[in-house]
Amino acid sequence: MDRNIQPTYNPLTEVKIPDIKEYTLKNGIKVYAVRATGAEVIRVDVSFGAGNWYQPSPLIAAMTNALMREGAGKYNAHQIAENIDYYGSHLQVHCDKDNAGFIAYTLSKYFENTLSILNDIVREPHFDSNELDVLVMKSRQNFKIENQKVSVISRRVLMKNLFGADNPYGESLTEEQYNSVSLDEIKEYFNQYYSNKNCSILISGFVTDEHIKLIDKYFGDNFGNYNNSEPGYILKSSDTKFNYSEKDGAVQSSVRFGKPLINLTSSDYPKLQVVNTLLGGYFGSRLMKNIREEKGYTYGIGSVLVSLKHSGFFTIISEVGADVCKSAVEEINKEIDILCNTLVGQDELMLVKNYMMGDLARNLDGAFNIAETVKSVIDFGFGAEFFKYQQECIMNITAEEIRFLAQKYLSKESMYTAVAGRY
Amino acid sequence: MQKINKKILNNGLIVLHQYDDSTSMVAVNTVYDVGARDEDPEMTGFAHLFEHLMFGGSENIPSFDAPVQQVGGENNAFTNNDITNYYISLPANNIETALWLESDRMLKLAFTPKSLEVQQQVVIEEFNQRYLNQPYGDVWLILRPLAYNEHPYKWATIGKNIEHIENAKLSDVEAFFYKHYAPNNAILSIVGNISENDAFNLVEKWYGDIPSRDIAKRNLPVEPKQTERRFMEVTRDVPSDAIYMAFHMCGRLDKDYQSCDLISDILSNGRSARLPQRLVKETQKFSEVNAYISGDRDPGLFIVTGKPNSGVELDEAERLIMNELKSLTTETVDEKELLKVKNKVESGFVYADTSILNRAMNFGLYQLLGDAHNVNHEMDKYAAVTPDDIKRVAKEVFTEDNCSVLYYRKNS
């Protein structure tokens, strides 16, 4: 044995595609199931096309979503919380730019108890005005705290520049908006968007046929008055490429780069993910190596591709020492230039490919991980076959393609930059 | 019931293994019995800084991360007041790369000036990011030295102040390594798709020849019993006032540990818990309020924090919280409420066990506390807690004399 030499290893050349069963309830809701043996736990994800994009005014989507569990059907808010806790279940509400819904984790033995509560929440929320007051008060408080963070300030500015201020992708909240959340708008929003015609369910874990039948029992009827109306926003990027928001006394500045970009529906997307990984998508990325491991400017830096239903974007995120902020921005620009102009070496390319295949294997290992990974593709109309295409893209991409894609999608000239703190 | 295989190498390294063929991956976890509590009071933050340096290359291998990524793996580490924990998850058939890397840095770290210099900068930025540049970020830098006079829990893992990190010398790094990093001060756990035989053989191959080292017996100052309420207030640029209350409680191995944990659950685990229900929803005096235990090996802290709504003064906030805590000392909690929090603990264990990495970490932790197999008895300890235990322990913990209070005021 020679400690100087890495033991032989087998690069992953193929990751097993998960088996996703698909069912259709009598009302048309698609149910996706990822079954596993082992721990007797189930995760249920009930999702609606009811995210911010569709809201008539700011905050409505998130408030509707969060208020639904504060009293529904035969239970008041306290009883819902009490029952969920008693069964040892967890119920998360979630609302993002496009989707909103609920994720419940439950022991299999309490599946029906949990599902029955979830059913009340989705079908018969009370929308009590006192509960709304408490929710608004808590959310406003949280908003004020978040708003002090340089990373939140820079995100707000960047998103506005990428998409424009007058639509839910680009708009930023103000504290005043918390004062005018209308219960009527919430009720109306609920009626329109929380409907079987706008819903999908993803169940994973220790799932049996019995559980699928129970889903049909509780979610199989028609509900809501969905009329499939699209707000029809026009997304428009700003002419200003650089923004600086000063925050007195900041010891670090938040630096964000970004631009609107293709989403998962583009056949370039999985290839662009390789380009992104190389640049800033893993611990050994070029940005991490340069800005953290060489220069010590930051605790962390990363880049990510975000796929939205009506668009997508790329972003680089870091918090850097205020005194070195200018240098950090320069170095990031340098790395983007190198990516666009220089062919990646074979060693680095192999490393990124191997890392990404391992990462995919981790994401597709275990029912709950699979469910989360699958969710990100079914929302865009794909099934498990997407992961096959993704693997082909990772395995086959060349240095030339990477440079070509970097030039096409990530040129320095097309980037927006937002700095918050001191510059 | 977790089936765990255990082996102790001649050099003292304890190896734990569990076979799981439902996955194609394996988790390799290494916990060293060293944390911030083992630091020199004049060199705080060192255990954590050292954790960063563990990725700067070892005796025979220039880079730690790249080979892990090369075989499709991912790795990271964390330090707290008690332990330093390193982990790798990777495709099971490439496990040898993980053992090669972990064993080489256990054998001997490369002590390079460049690595020290850069990681000092990185840790200073971590300090800035987490503790100084966030609203309420410096709370623990203030609260720990208020609650502890003697015990090294009085400083945060990141360190007392940035100077301690800036002043670290390469000779300190080397000394720290030989003092704390050794096979006989570590536990290696392997969970995933690899047989017991293969796992133990490979571990013997890569770790068998690492010499054991003299590890000084830990002899930490004992925190004297607190005899009167401690109080401090600070004013910061934050959007609302906040209150922090810290009570001394027992250590991780004490018979009352589980009771303390359940008390914190009764108070604030889940949306139906007492503090959010009564103080946020019913009386609307707070926008948020939380209770939790620090979970430390040595006697730790029971912490209650809250942000009162505008119009509620901090002394009133303190009274309101204290009333809720006191009610646990005067009224006996009913069986159903206690069962609810026990159910939550039980399901929490089941959820956590779905991850091989969680299991590997947990086995290491329980072994460090005495025996990995005790993971199988932890729930029994929670189940055995009675309403009278809750009342008795609450009485011991929730007294004014045992409390350190911090008023964190917004500047107007």
Side-chain angles (χ1 to χ4, degrees):
Chain A
M1 149 186 127
D2 183 348
R3 287 192 176 273
N4 291 291
I5 299 168
Q6 179 167 5
T8 50
Y9 62 92
N10 309 289
L12 273 181
T13 50
E14 200 185 344
V15 175
K16 198 169 149 266
I17 302 301
D19 184 19
I20 306 164
K21 290 268 185 302
E22 212 178 304
Y23 306 88
T24 306
L25 304 188
K26 49 186 179 284
N27 60 4
I29 291 181
K30 285 256 189 294
V31 178
Y32 305 87
V34 182
R35 294 187 184 203
T37 52
E40 298 194 10
V41 207
I42 295 175
R43 176 187 192 270
V44 198
D45 180 344
V46 183
S47 179
F48 298 86
N52 299 350
W53 182 260
Y54 306 96
Q55 65 193 5
S57 45
L59 288 165
I60 295 299
M63 291 294 160
T64 304
N65 179 236
L67 196 55
M68 285 170 72
R69 70 165 159 192
E70 305 295 351
K74 46 199 175 296
Y75 310 109
N76 64 27
H78 180 70
Q79 289 161 334
I80 288 180
E82 190 72 28
N83 281 316
I84 292 281
D85 285 340
Y86 186 79
Y87 297 124
S89 303
H90 289 270
L91 179 66
Q92 300 167 353
V93 299
H94 72 87
C95 176
D96 60 30
K97 301 270 187 216
D98 298 313
N99 298 307
F102 304 89
I103 299 174
Y105 290 85
T106 172
L107 299 176
S108 325
K109 62 182 171 185
Y110 296 128
F111 181 76
E112 184 166 5
N113 308 74
T114 305
L115 202 64
S116 139
I117 298 168
L118 195 53
N119 172 62
D120 279 351
I121 290 173
V122 165
R123 306 282 288 271
E124 298 170 47
H126 298 164
F127 293 123
D128 178 276
S129 68
N130 289 325
E131 295 290 349
L132 178 62
D133 291 345
V134 176
L135 185 64
V136 166
M137 178 263 295
K138 287 198 304 194
S139 310
R140 185 198 288 121
Q141 189 59 33
N142 193 41
F143 170 82
K144 281 159 70 178
I145 294 170
E146 286 298 307
N147 227 11
Q148 284 205 327
K149 301 180 180 170
V150 286
S151 63
V152 173
I153 299 169
S154 69
R155 183 177 61 213
R156 204 174 51 203
V157 172
L158 185 71
M159 294 306 278
K160 189 177 84 188
N161 283 347
L162 298 196
F163 295 117
D166 58 354
N167 67 80
Y169 285 176
E171 79 191 354
S172 43
L173 288 170
T174 62
E175 196 185 329
E176 291 68 46
Q177 286 164 343
Y178 286 86
N179 301 333
S180 53
V181 177
S182 139
L183 198 58
D184 288 336
E185 266 187 342
I186 286 178
K187 288 178 182 166
E188 175 56 34
Y189 193 71
F190 165 77
N191 280 327
Q192 189 173 344
Y193 290 98
Y194 284 84
S195 157
N196 58 292
K197 295 192 189 110
N198 192 29
C199 175
S200 69
I201 297 176
L202 177 56
I203 177 170
S204 54
F206 197 86
V207 179
T208 64
D209 292 341
E210 199 51 41
H211 297 126
I212 304 288
K213 278 187 204 139
L214 285 169
I215 295 222
D216 200 41
K217 173 178 161 190
Y218 285 97
F219 287 93
D221 302 333
N222 292 328
F223 57 95
N225 303 309
Y226 183 61
N227 64 7
N228 199 12
S229 65
E230 261 298 328
Y233 294 110
I234 293 166
L235 303 172
K236 192 176 173 310
S237 301
S238 154
D239 296 329
T240 322
K241 284 278 167 72
F242 183 89
N243 268 83
Y244 167 45
S245 319
E246 188 172 356
K247 185 172 160 54
D248 251 3
V251 292
Q252 280 192 327
S253 300
S254 170
V255 174
R256 283 177 195 259
F257 279 54
K259 62 172 292 189
L261 213 57
I262 54 170
N263 67 14
L264 203 101
T265 57
S266 161
S267 62
D268 276 348
Y269 193 82
K271 295 176 196 163
L272 197 56
Q273 281 179 318
V274 181
V275 184
N276 173 64
T277 304
L278 188 71
L279 179 67
Y282 74 123
F283 200 90
S285 73
R286 291 176 174 187
L287 288 173
M288 275 296 263
K289 277 220 173 81
N290 181 349
I291 318 286
R292 174 177 146 136
E293 297 294 312
E294 277 293 318
K295 310 277 189 330
Y297 289 164
T298 182
Y299 178 50
I301 181 165
S303 69
V304 63
L305 293 174
V306 179
S307 203
L308 298 169
K309 193 169 179 197
H310 306 275
S311 184
F313 63 97
F314 162 82
T315 184
I316 298 171
I317 307 164
S318 185
E319 277 158 70
V320 303
D323 304 337
V324 293
C325 186
K326 276 205 169 75
S327 314
V329 169
E330 258 171 50
E331 290 300 323
I332 294 169
N333 274 314
K334 246 188 238 173
E335 289 298 341
I336 295 172
D337 262 346
I338 296 171
L339 192 70
C340 292
N341 297 321
T342 314
L343 286 176
V344 55
Q346 281 311 303
D347 287 353
E348 189 184 5
L349 181 56
M350 271 318 291
L351 187 134
V352 167
K353 288 181 175 196
N354 289 349
Y355 168 77
M356 288 188 77
M357 290 296 282
D359 198 45
L360 184 61
R362 251 184 307 281
N363 290 335
L364 296 178
D365 189 68
F368 295 167
N369 285 343
I370 295 174
E372 278 176 45
T373 311
V374 163
K375 176 81 171 105
S376 66
V377 304
I378 56 178
D379 283 345
F380 291 87
F382 295 107
E385 77 283 349
F386 179 86
F387 304 113
K388 207 166 157 45
Y389 175 62
Q390 190 180 11
Q391 290 182 47
E392 286 164 14
C393 290
I394 297 170
M395 295 301 293
N396 298 332
I397 197 167
T398 62
E400 285 75 15
E401 270 180 290
I402 286 176
R403 188 176 59 183
F404 172 77
L405 290 166
Q407 287 168 355
K408 181 171 173 190
Y409 292 113
L410 301 175
S411 76
K412 196 174 70 181
E413 294 67 35
S414 64
M415 289 290 164
Y416 290 78
T417 307
V419 174
R422 292 191 293 123
Y423 184 69
Chain B
M1 185 79 176
Q2 302 284 352
K3 185 178 176 321
I4 305 163
N5 307 306
K6 191 192 295 192
K7 186 179 171 183
I8 305 177
L9 305 195
N10 288 334
N11 56 17
L13 178 69
I14 300 175
V15 191
L16 305 165
H17 164 266
Q18 184 181 54
Y19 176 58
D20 183 344
D21 66 356
S22 72
T23 170
S24 62
M25 312 295 286
V26 68
V28 176
N29 189 76
T30 311
V31 57
Y32 287 92
D33 189 0
V34 57
R37 67 175 169 164
D38 299 303
E39 292 163 347
D40 180 331
E42 298 310 314
M43 272 205 297
T44 64
F46 205 84
H48 169 252
L49 173 63
F50 192 89
E51 171 219 310
H52 279 246
L53 298 171
M54 281 285 275
F55 295 91
S58 53
E59 176 84 336
N60 301 293
I61 310 171
S63 152
F64 187 91
D65 294 325
V68 176
Q69 291 146 4
Q70 187 73 51
V71 302
E74 194 153 67
N75 62 280
N76 211 334
F78 63 85
T79 309
N80 64 29
N81 290 81
D82 294 332
I83 61 163
T84 314
N85 191 81
Y86 301 85
Y87 55 94
I88 306 177
S89 84
L90 74 173
N93 57 354
N94 291 334
I95 188 176
E96 203 163 353
T97 290
L99 301 177
W100 168 66
L101 288 161
E102 282 292 5
S103 65
D104 202 56
R105 63 181 179 179
M106 184 184 283
L107 179 69
K108 191 178 175 191
L109 203 58
F111 306 104
T112 65
K114 167 78 181 164
S115 171
L116 176 61
E117 190 191 317
V118 169
Q119 292 308 318
Q120 279 171 313
Q121 276 311 309
V122 170
V123 170
I124 289 165
E125 291 307 331
E126 182 178 359
F127 198 116
N128 286 337
Q129 184 172 328
R130 290 189 169 170
Y131 293 81
L132 303 185
N133 220 29
Q134 304 290 335
Y136 313 99
D138 62 348
V139 159
W140 282 100
L141 301 178
I142 303 165
L143 199 55
R144 280 184 178 276
L146 186 65
Y148 292 101
N149 285 331
E150 300 295 331
H151 193 281
Y153 287 163
K154 68 183 171 188
W155 57 81
T157 307
I158 195 78
K160 260 182 221 170
N161 55 51
I162 286 182
E163 287 75 44
H164 282 189
I165 296 160
E166 286 170 343
N167 293 339
K169 307 265 183 310
L170 204 57
S171 55
D172 302 329
V173 176
E174 192 159 352
F176 193 87
F177 178 79
Y178 287 109
K179 197 170 167 193
H180 299 290
Y181 280 71
N184 46 316
N185 206 34
I187 296 155
L188 173 67
S189 4
I190 295 174
V191 176
N193 201 339
I194 179 170
S195 73
E196 179 181 357
N197 241 338
D198 287 354
F200 286 155
N201 286 339
L202 285 172
V203 170
E204 186 64 51
K205 172 179 169 187
W206 289 103
Y207 290 81
D209 66 351
I210 302 175
S212 51
R213 298 182 181 118
D214 287 334
I215 301 299
K217 215 163 162 45
R218 184 175 278 122
N219 186 15
L220 301 177
V222 175
E223 182 65 22
K225 189 173 165 54
Q226 184 177 334
T227 52
E228 57 179 9
R229 176 177 178 270
R230 295 177 192 159
F231 175 76
M232 211 173 140
E233 55 187 324
V234 296
T235 304
R236 296 283 188 270
D237 182 21
V238 290
S240 80
D241 290 348
I243 181 170
Y244 298 82
M245 298 165 76
F247 300 85
H248 291 280
M249 61 166 270
C250 60
R252 180 66 184 82
L253 290 172
D254 194 278
K255 63 172 177 39
D256 287 333
Y257 178 85
Q258 286 76 14
S259 297
C260 275
D261 196 14
L262 288 172
I263 291 172
S264 74
D265 289 347
I266 288 169
L267 288 169
S268 94
N269 185 6
R271 298 166 54 81
S272 73
R274 291 183 179 197
L275 296 178
Q277 278 297 327
R278 294 182 185 170
L279 298 183
V280 178
K281 297 201 81 171
E282 283 169 29
T283 60
Q284 300 188 16
K285 297 285 189 185
F286 286 78
S287 66
E288 63 171 270
V289 57
N290 275 301
Y292 59 95
I293 60 174
S294 61
D296 297 314
R297 176 76 182 258
D298 294 327
L301 296 176
F302 190 111
I303 299 130
V304 186
T305 74
K307 295 198 176 72
N309 281 322
S310 55
V312 179
E313 293 299 323
L314 281 164
D315 52 353
E316 187 191 351
E318 183 182 351
R319 264 197 315 278
L320 289 165
I321 288 175
M322 208 59 194
N323 285 344
E324 289 301 329
L325 306 185
K326 285 286 185 191
S327 76
L328 283 165
T329 69
T330 51
E331 298 151 34
T332 310
V333 58
D334 73 48
E335 292 278 0
K336 194 181 171 199
E337 188 177 11
L338 185 56
L339 183 61
K340 176 184 80 178
V341 290
K342 287 179 183 177
N343 286 346
K344 234 172 149 55
V345 170
E346 185 168 14
S347 67
F349 283 146
V350 180
Y351 300 142
D353 280 346
T354 58
S355 148
I356 56 171
L357 184 58
N358 274 348
R359 268 183 275 150
M361 281 184 194
N362 234 355
F363 297 168
L365 270 183
Y366 276 88
Q367 180 60 40
L368 201 56
L369 293 172
D371 184 357
H373 290 99
N374 285 337
V375 291
N376 290 318
H377 308 303
E378 188 68 19
M379 191 55 224
D380 299 342
K381 292 182 184 165
Y382 280 92
V385 172
T386 66
D388 286 341
D389 289 329
I390 297 289
K391 195 170 175 178
R392 176 179 55 80
V393 174
K395 264 186 188 160
E396 278 169 31
V397 176
F398 297 141
T399 69
E400 272 84 3
D401 291 348
N402 188 36
C403 188
S404 299
V405 184
L406 171 64
Y407 287 180
Y408 201 105
R409 295 185 189 278
K410 69 168 175 177
N411 54 8
S412 35

